[in-house]
Structure formats: structure tokens, C-alpha cells
Amino acid sequence: MAYKNFALVCAGTGCHSTDGQEIYDNLIASAEKHGVSGDVQVVKTGCFGFCEQGPIVKVLPEESFYVKVKASDAEEIIAEHIVKGRAVDRLLYKEPGSKTAGKIEDMGFYQKQLRIVLRNCGLINPENIEEYIAREGYQALGKVLTEMSREDVINELKTSALRGRGGAGFPTWMKWNFTKQIDGVDKKFVVCNADEGDPGAYMDRSTLEGDPHSVMEAMAIAAYTIGATQGYIYIRAEYPLAIERLEIAMKQAREFGLLGDNILGTDFSFDIEIRLGAGAFVCGEETALLASIEGERGIPRPRPPFPAVKGLWGRPTLINNVETFANIPMIILKGGAWFASIGTADSKGTKVFALTGKINNSGLIEVPMGTTLREIIYDIGGGIPNGKKFKAVQSGGPSGGMLTAEHLDTPIDYAGLQALGSMMGSGGLIVMDEDDCIVDVVRFYLEFAVDESCGKCSPCRIGGRKLLNIVERMTAGTATEKDLENIEEISDAMKKASLCGLGQTTPNPTLSLIRYFKDEMLAHVHDSSCPAGKCKDLVKYTIDAEKCIGCTLCARRCPVPCISGGKREAHVIDQDACIKCGECYTACKFDAVKKG
Amino acid sequence: MADEKLLPMSEGLVAFITEWKKKPGNLIMVLHKVQEEYGYIASEVAIEVSRMLEVPLAKIYGVATFYHLFTLKKPGKNKIAVCMGTACYLKGAQDLLDELDTILDCKAGEKTADDMFSITGVRCIGCCGLAPVLTINGKVYGNVKTDQLADLLAPFQNAK
Ligand SMILES: Cc1cc2nc3c(=O)[nH]c(=O)nc-3n(C[C@H](O)[C@H](O)[C@H](O)COP(=O)(O)O)c2cc1C
Ligand code: SF4
Ligand code: SF4
Ligand code: SF4
Ligand code: FES
Ligand code: FES
């Protein structure tokens, strides 16, 4: 039976959690009702990336890209598109300012993207191993097991120059080689880090939801290369859909002889188990992660010994990030030289980013290393909503730093970001506009870091708290010169003396604030004012007597209430009683309430 | 609350613990299962787990208190989780918490007096494209505005 059409329904978390499942069910029911079940195959796929416009349904072969689909639209898609062959125009994505729908490959959002890690996301059904196999799935594993020696694999990775995507950017081949070289042990382990703790990032989640086999295949390749027989995927419990897809994928791989004993008829045996995190950011750090898999509190251990020497239960352990693994099957199939031909001198291949915050096209993107921030924010991201001005983007989450308008043309790679005091991190890019107060955002990150510090070492435990207190004073308008002087000293001690990466990087957002937003910071310190009008303690609402027509609306809305004035009289706010809720500011239709 | 019967454990839970007992590093997986069944880690149940897995109760508490996801307190009938990840924070997650406090008189980390709702602030749930996001009993609501909250809660308030 040959299908005429394929309806791909996004089943990534963004779309799935809204209406995805119902859309899928309704498409199938409508197809049956119209007697076209044999013409259209309805398929659940991983995230298309354009989550902002979700839920998304893509119909092949016409490549119709339906966005913001509702469960009730399914009937029309079947009746019009499948039965009558007419696309449902009102649901088709149209570029801003355009009245007609263009081709998918011409969409600004996709044009500059290059998909290696996400090659199958949004294309195959992640719950069906045969679709992965049909797209060269498990061929890399087959090639490694039958044609390549363990050294060959290491050499291919070396040629590719792939670096770890979990944050630190360590050369992957070196890590594999260290672990491989350790002899005379009874067991070795391969661990996949799917903890993805950076709040505001979901690259790994989407990869696992959309293409779980690519990560499992790479783990098997790694196990063969270093000589391991058991693997673990450590994944956040907050990701139930990814966990479910992984479980299905593992079951199917075992049925196909791609996991378990004697894989593909060779004498190589390997299996994978899932272990769940429980909401502790520090468990993304590799030694804390190992402690957590062992069932202990997730407290980092001093390195050396590195996990490659003494990891899980004291055995040599290779730990890589989800995205690092997902690159590997393609490197094996297409060759390291192919991979190294993409990117910059310093960084090869692509990087997946979760583009979020104040951006029009929020979503999941994959671009070649060396793409500029401008291309990401304006060409792919479609710019800043509501005509606001771009202010900054935070890369690297709570461990990273800001990039500003002056960096828009910097090519993004490991070295470039580091030179600017930011970092690649795992791939969260959070865009801020003129309404966001950088001091407040830094306070947010510090609060996060202090909350997540495991408390084992004092530079992090005490230093983090002190930094937070200083920045809190800034947001309250009570910070002093002395506070400013102390920042550097505290940061220095934390960077040098903290045991793990969490404490070492906690000062980064604060240092970024000093480096790029000094004026905004000093306005808080010297003038007790918040230029963005975000820090509640520093905001003052006043009524302009010239503009106020005395409609009384603000007085009626004020929850305290602290606005006085009779009908058709200019109103006045009692500053001592005002709780700065901003109700009057939003309520006034005459622009008479001023914020500042 | 004390008269509520938590023990004996369900057959499924006993089977799960027996199965995982064989594997090293099982404690966190077992605690997840316990919390899935009861909604929290009750002390009677923790004692039973300690006996079955043959691990000291102190260790169970040590682990349960280290990880944010585990809770030793019984949650409300309906569980509201407001995402406090960066993307949601920038798009007004704090306003959602403030508004919830106004409507329900309940702050993050607390439970309403009638046990109907408990509110937690959680880290990114991976739907940042839909920020700000909250979940009620696991169902995700995206692009939530403060003035929609009352309507969103109404069906849960009435269904006693
Ligand atoms: C506080 C902290 C949190 C981390 N969180 C993660 C994470 O969520 N995911 C991840 O892959 N790596 C994380 N890392 C980095 C890991 O320690 C480790 O470097 C990485 O998993 C190695 O894999 P890679 O070489 O493939 O990047 C974190 C590090 C620190 C210090
Ligand atoms: S740096 Fe912070 S998180 Fe890391 S071990 Fe020290 S206290 Fe714990
Ligand atoms: S900000 Fe709020 S409390 Fe202050 S005057 Fe306006 S409405 Fe009243
Ligand atoms: S809402 Fe505006 S115009 Fe009306 S009384 Fe208040 S300040 Fe004056
Ligand atoms: S979750 Fe559907 S497009 Fe991202
Ligand atoms: S920051 Fe809220 S879902 Fe990611």
C-alpha cells in the first residue's frame, strides 16, 4: 500500500503538551471518516524547532507547513488537503509581512540552519525503530563493529575535532582515548549526561524526544571503542516524554539485536539503563552525576582522579553529553574530514541552541559553528517582539555571560565566546530587550546558583551568598561603593578555590554586568534608580497633573488604595502607601501615570 | 491525616522495590516510585523502604532532602507548578506566583488551608518557547497571563 500523503504531527513537548495528541487522534479519525486512511499516513515526529508557532503539522509531499493548529482543525486538513488536494491556506505559515505562504526551505527560520544533530527530528517517528533504520540508522554501529578497529574510531573522532557539547568543550577523542587506554579492570561504563540543568534550555530534551536511537547508537559505538559493556543515561525526571521515548527505543533496539548480547551477531555485548535525576542542578557536573547514579547525594568529588580513571563504582567511565553523542553516527558514516569542513578553525560542526526570551521565533535551532549572533537573532529568530530594542543575550545559563549589541557580528564558537567573558555552555540563548533590567537578571542567576550550591566547599557556599546579597542590595537601591569593591575579591576567590564548576562559574554573570552594563549598574548604586523600571523597590509611580483628566480609573484599580482625587480633578499617589504594583500605570488610558 | 492508611504498600510498589533491590544505586529510583504512588515520601513508607532495601533511614532522609524533587510533606489535592526558569522569569513568572498568592492565599512551597492546592516553583520544564509556563497536575499551560489564572483554576476549585 503506497500512501499519497504523510501528515507529520509534532510530538515534541512544546506541541504535545498543548494539543498535539488530540490533533494526531483527530487526523486519524477524520481520515477514516472520509475513507482516506489508505491515502494518508499520520505520523508523530519530534520537534520541528519552530515551537513558538506550535502545534505544528507538516503535510508531505507538498511540504505544507501548518502552524498554531487546533484539534478542531484536523477535520479541515483532511477534508480539504487530503481529499480535495487543496492546502488549508489560513493555517499555512506566512512570513511576517507576507500574505502568501512560501516554501519551507525559504523560511527565514530554517534558511541558515544546518541539521546534523537534529537530522531526524521532525522527520521520523521516534517511537518506530524502523524509521530510524531507514535513514541510515545503526549503519555507523554496523560499520564500526565490522570494519573499524577501536583505534580507527578514535582517529576518526580526532580528525573530526568534535568537542564536548555539555559546556566545557573538551576534545571528545581525547576523553575516549583516556578511557580506552586503562587496562586491567573488570568493567568500564559509558554514561550519557542528559541532566540539562540550565534553566531555559531544552536542546537535549528535544534530541532525545525526536531521535533517541541516534544517542543510543553512539553510546554503543563508544562502548565498543573503550571496552564497556554497560551504559547509563542520566536524565532529569522533569522530562517524562523523553524518558518514555527512550524506554520504547531501548525495548525495540533489544528486539532488533542492536542492544544486549552479541550485537549484530558479533561478540560485542552492551546494554543501557535509565537513571533519573531528581531536580539538582549540580548533578549535571560529572562527578556529582556519578554519585547520583550510585544512589547517593549528588555532591561533586575532587578531580583527579577523573572519571576516565575512577568513575562509577570506581571503574573507568566515559561521560558525554547528549548532543556530543548525537553527532557521532554521522561522523562515522560521513567521515571526520567531512565534519571538520564545517565550522571555524577553533570549533567544528554545528551547535544546537534553544533560542528563548524576548525573541519572535522562539524555538530550537541548529547552526554551523561561526554563525553570528545577528544571523541567529534577526534572520532565524525574526528579531525582538513589539518593536523593542535588543539589549543582551545570555549564553551559558547561570555559568555564562552576556553578549550585547556590539557583539552582534561576532562569529559564535568556543574561543570567541570565552574571549568575551561568556561561554558556549550547553546551548541556551536567552534574549533580553530594553525592558529587562540586567541587574535583576543577574540577581536571578545568583539566586539560582546559591540555591543549587551543594554547600560542600566554602568559597561557593559563602561567596555565592555574599555576591547575591550585594546584587540584592543593588536592586533595593542600598548598595555601596564598598560593595562594588568587594565583588572582584569574592569572584576571584570563588573562581580559584571552588571545588567544582558550579562555584567556579557563579561569578560570571556578575562580572559580565560590570563589564558591559556598568552604567545601568551604577544607576542602581549611585542614583537608586532602575533605568529599565524593573526593580520594584526603585520604581516610583507618579501622576502628571497636566495629563490627568480625573477619570478615577486608577484610584478604583489601586489595591491599597492610595490614590486620591475627585472626579475631573488631577489625582495624586500617596508614595508612602504605594506598593508599586503598577496597576495604575497599566490602567490609565491618558498616559498620565509615569514610571521611573 | 494520621488515620490515613499508607501501609501495606501496593503490590506494584513491593514488586518494584524487590526488582530494584538487586541493582546497585537503586535508592533514587525507588524514592521516585514511592513519590509517584503517594505524592510524597511519608515517614512510615520511608521506614518500610529502609527495611526492604536494608539501608539506614538516615541515608534515605539524606538523599530525599538533597534533591529538590522529593518532598516529605503531603502536597495539596491539585498540584500547581510554576516554571521559574530563565525564559519564564523574563516573561513574568513572578507575576504569576504573585497573582496565585492573591487568588489562593498561597505562596510557592506552600499549600492552601483547605488542602486543595499546593504551589511549587520549578526549574525549566523544557517548553521555554511557550513561556511563561505552569503545570496543573502535570498538564502544561503555556503563554499564561495573570488575568487568565482565575479562570484556569476555577474547574479545580469547584471539583471538590
Ligand atoms: C554545575 C555544572 C552543571 C553541568 N550540567 C551539565 C548538564 O546539564 N549537561 C551536560 O551535558 N553537562 C553538564 N555539565 C558538564 C559536565 O560536567 C561534563 O563536562 C559533560 O557532561 C561532559 O560531556 P561532553 O564532553 O560531551 O561535553 C555541567 C557542569 C557543571 C560544573
Ligand atoms: S563549588 Fe559549590 S556546588 Fe561545587 S562542590 Fe563546592 S559547594 Fe558544591
Ligand atoms: S502602583 Fe499600585 S499601589 Fe501604587 S498607586 Fe499605583 S495602583 Fe496604587
Ligand atoms: S487613570 Fe489616568 S487620567 Fe484617570 S485619574 Fe488616573 S491618572 Fe488620571
Ligand atoms: S515542540 Fe513542536 S515545534 Fe518544537
Ligand atoms: S524556562 Fe520555563 S519552560 Fe524553560
Side-chain angles (χ1 to χ4, degrees):
Chain A
M1 182 171 61
Y3 291 108
K4 193 166 67 83
N5 287 107
F6 297 88
L8 310 181
V9 183
C10 176
T13 291
C15 296
H16 191 74
S17 58
T18 32
D19 242 358
Q21 181 66 40
E22 254 188 272
I23 295 171
Y24 174 82
D25 294 340
N26 288 4
L27 282 172
I28 291 181
S30 292
E32 252 166 54
K33 190 179 107 190
H34 289 277
V36 290
S37 299
D39 294 335
V40 57
Q41 188 183 20
V42 184
V43 186
K44 273 197 235 177
T45 70
C47 172
F48 291 109
F50 209 4
C51 316
E52 174 89 30
Q53 293 286 333
I56 294 176
V57 176
K58 187 162 143 185
V59 180
L60 304 179
E62 294 85 359
E63 303 241 328
S64 303
F65 198 74
Y66 294 124
V67 297
K68 302 205 167 166
V69 178
K70 295 198 188 60
S72 54
D73 295 328
E75 165 69 19
E76 194 175 341
I77 293 179
I78 295 293
E80 283 297 307
H81 192 138
I82 307 299
V83 177
K84 297 187 189 147
R86 291 195 300 233
V88 185
D89 192 62
R90 71 179 174 91
L91 295 174
L92 286 174
Y93 177 74
K94 298 170 192 89
E95 297 277 352
S98 164
K99 286 207 174 69
T100 49
K103 290 203 177 96
I104 294 183
E105 64 264 27
D106 295 336
M107 275 169 64
F109 183 74
Y110 288 112
Q111 225 174 28
K112 296 217 159 145
Q113 296 201 42
L114 174 67
R115 298 189 146 211
I116 297 173
V117 171
L118 303 176
R119 61 191 177 276
N120 290 323
C121 275
L123 265 179
I124 64 168
N125 175 355
E127 298 182 3
N128 183 351
I129 190 171
E130 290 181 45
E131 295 196 12
Y132 179 68
I133 292 173
R135 292 198 27 104
E136 303 183 309
Y138 289 104
Q139 281 185 20
L141 178 61
K143 182 172 169 186
V144 164
L145 292 183
T146 55
E147 295 169 28
M148 292 172 80
S149 71
R150 299 164 65 193
E151 286 70 29
D152 289 342
V153 178
I154 301 273
N155 285 331
E156 209 57 64
L157 283 185
K158 191 172 174 182
T159 312
S160 78
L162 172 67
R163 295 170 64 173
R165 300 295 194 239
F170 194 78
T172 303
W173 75 272
M174 282 173 78
K175 217 186 236 186
W176 286 35
N177 204 30
F178 287 142
T179 327
K180 168 178 166 284
Q181 279 166 353
I182 310 263
D183 284 329
V185 288
D186 61 337
K187 261 189 215 162
K188 292 183 188 177
F189 297 104
V190 172
V191 172
C192 173
N193 187 344
D195 195 46
E196 195 155 63
D198 176 3
Y202 59 105
M203 303 74 52
D204 295 345
R205 155 178 220 157
S206 301
T207 307
L208 290 171
E209 283 175 1
D211 195 15
H213 287 285
S214 65
V215 175
M216 288 159 44
E217 179 179 5
M219 288 178 73
I221 293 170
Y224 165 80
T225 309
I226 67 158
T229 50
Q230 179 66 46
Y232 290 94
I233 299 177
Y234 184 83
I235 182 167
R236 318 178 63 196
E238 290 93 330
Y239 285 1
L241 194 59
I243 295 164
E244 187 190 320
R245 298 251 163 91
L246 272 171
E247 275 166 354
I248 295 171
M250 281 165 36
K251 183 165 166 280
Q252 293 181 347
R254 284 189 200 108
E255 284 164 12
F256 276 68
L258 295 163
L259 271 186
D261 290 337
N262 304 102
I263 292 176
L264 292 168
T266 65
D267 56 12
F268 169 63
S269 301
F270 175 67
D271 213 327
I272 301 176
E273 224 179 71
I274 294 177
R275 289 301 173 99
L276 301 184
F281 175 62
V282 71
C283 288
E285 194 279 335
E286 54 189 26
T287 60
L289 184 150
L290 296 178
S292 186
I293 293 184
E294 291 172 6
E296 307 287 334
R297 294 160 69 103
I299 293 179
R301 299 163 181 175
R303 299 177 305 177
F306 285 91
V309 180
K310 257 181 177 242
L312 261 189
W313 294 292
R315 309 306 204 296
T317 303
L318 172 74
I319 304 180
N320 276 125
N321 163 264
V322 169
E323 188 180 332
T324 312
F325 277 125
N327 273 298
I328 294 196
M330 293 311 277
I331 292 177
I332 298 292
L333 285 181
K334 293 194 164 187
W338 161 78
F339 190 81
S341 72
I342 304 162
T344 65
D346 167 78
S347 315
K348 303 301 184 189
T350 58
K351 183 74 196 80
V352 182
F353 290 105
L355 188 59
T356 62
K358 306 290 181 63
I359 185 92
N360 273 315
N361 302 338
S362 180
L364 192 73
I365 65 168
E366 181 172 357
V367 290
M369 293 281 189
T371 303
T372 66
L373 206 51
R374 188 185 299 283
E375 290 172 299
I376 292 179
I377 292 178
Y378 290 96
D379 298 341
I380 298 173
I384 317 297
N386 309 322
K388 298 277 181 185
K389 237 172 71 193
F390 167 75
K391 185 165 188 180
V393 59
Q394 172 86 3
S395 171
S399 310
M402 318 264 175
L403 300 170
T404 69
E406 63 178 289
H407 307 126
L408 279 172
D409 294 308
T410 317
I412 293 195
D413 66 7
Y414 288 99
L417 288 180
Q418 195 140 28
L420 296 174
S422 184
M423 63 187 262
M424 182 72 80
S426 54
L429 283 184
I430 301 197
V431 183
M432 292 163 238
D433 70 11
E434 54 189 303
D435 290 345
D436 294 310
C437 168
I438 305 297
V439 180
D440 181 59
V441 172
V442 169
R443 188 201 52 75
F444 169 84
Y445 280 125
L446 281 171
E447 201 173 55
F448 178 90
V450 167
D451 209 29
E452 295 296 338
S453 162
C454 79
K456 176 166 171 165
C457 62
S458 49
C460 170
R461 189 182 62 239
I462 300 170
R465 167 66 61 191
K466 280 192 166 165
L467 278 185
L468 174 61
N469 288 345
I470 291 176
V471 176
E472 274 175 349
R473 281 199 288 276
M474 287 183 191
T475 61
T478 57
T480 61
E481 284 303 319
K482 183 87 188 122
D483 282 333
L484 295 183
E485 283 164 30
N486 285 342
I487 291 179
E488 218 145 309
E489 201 182 321
I490 300 169
S491 301
D492 203 46
M494 290 182 76
K495 276 176 177 281
K496 287 199 184 114
S498 295
L499 177 64
C500 86
L502 195 155
Q504 289 157 9
T505 58
T506 293
N508 286 350
T510 316
L511 296 175
S512 209
L513 170 70
I514 298 178
R515 189 161 165 188
Y516 298 122
F517 294 96
K518 198 160 193 167
D519 291 345
E520 183 166 7
M521 179 182 81
L522 291 179
H524 287 73
V525 181
H526 293 156
D527 314 329
S528 294
S529 91
C530 174
K534 198 91 189 179
C535 297
K536 274 201 174 157
D537 290 343
L538 305 185
V539 179
K540 199 170 148 192
Y541 292 94
T542 47
I543 294 174
D544 182 343
E546 298 284 301
K547 286 191 170 170
C548 173
I549 63 147
C551 72
T552 75
L553 183 63
C554 61
R556 281 178 281 134
R557 287 281 170 80
C558 177
V560 181
C562 64
I563 305 180
S564 56
K567 262 193 192 152
R568 285 185 291 280
E569 278 173 26
H571 282 50
V572 180
I573 295 173
D574 176 355
Q575 293 299 336
D576 293 333
C578 169
I579 57 163
K580 297 170 183 173
C581 66
E583 281 290 333
C584 52
Y585 182 73
T586 20
C588 180
K589 295 189 180 70
F590 304 92
D591 202 24
V593 181
K594 299 284 169 220
K595 177 172 162 178
Chain B
M1 213 154 69
D3 49 36
E4 211 172 332
K5 222 165 145 315
L6 300 174
L7 296 172
M9 293 178 184
S10 71
E11 263 171 48
L13 185 53
V14 171
F16 185 91
I17 296 178
T18 316
E19 174 64 28
W20 274 87
K21 190 175 176 182
K22 296 178 227 150
K23 298 186 189 173
N26 47 30
L27 182 53
I28 293 171
M29 299 303 280
V30 168
L31 291 181
H32 270 299
K33 194 74 185 176
V34 168
Q35 183 147 317
E36 190 185 311
E37 287 238 348
Y38 295 96
Y40 69 117
I41 317 267
S43 56
E44 299 100 295
V45 182
I47 293 168
E48 187 65 10
V49 168
S50 152
R51 198 184 56 74
M52 288 173 73
L53 288 179
E54 295 170 60
V55 294
L57 191 58
K59 175 160 179 197
I60 295 185
Y61 277 113
V63 168
T65 50
F66 181 84
Y67 293 97
H68 299 305
L69 234 54
F70 295 131
T71 164
L72 305 178
K73 285 184 298 197
K74 193 174 156 108
K77 189 163 165 229
N78 298 295
K79 294 183 259 311
I80 304 174
V82 179
C83 176
M84 291 298 284
T86 321
C88 291
Y89 180 74
L90 283 183
K91 293 214 169 166
Q94 185 61 48
D95 298 338
L96 294 183
L97 279 181
D98 293 346
E99 183 67 15
L100 283 172
D101 188 19
T102 311
I103 301 176
L104 297 174
D105 189 20
C106 179
K107 294 189 175 27
E110 294 177 357
K111 178 157 75 157
T112 53
D114 61 0
D115 282 351
M116 282 301 282
F117 293 95
S118 51
I119 302 176
T120 47
V122 293
R123 306 294 190 209
C124 179
I125 52 171
C127 303
C128 324
L130 306 175
V133 174
L134 59 79
T135 68
I136 303 179
N137 301 331
K139 182 166 166 39
V140 179
Y141 299 86
N143 293 316
V144 184
K145 310 214 164 34
T146 44
D147 54 13
Q148 298 170 341
L149 280 175
D151 288 342
L152 213 56
L153 294 176
F156 300 96
Q157 279 166 318
N158 300 332
K160 286 275 167 183

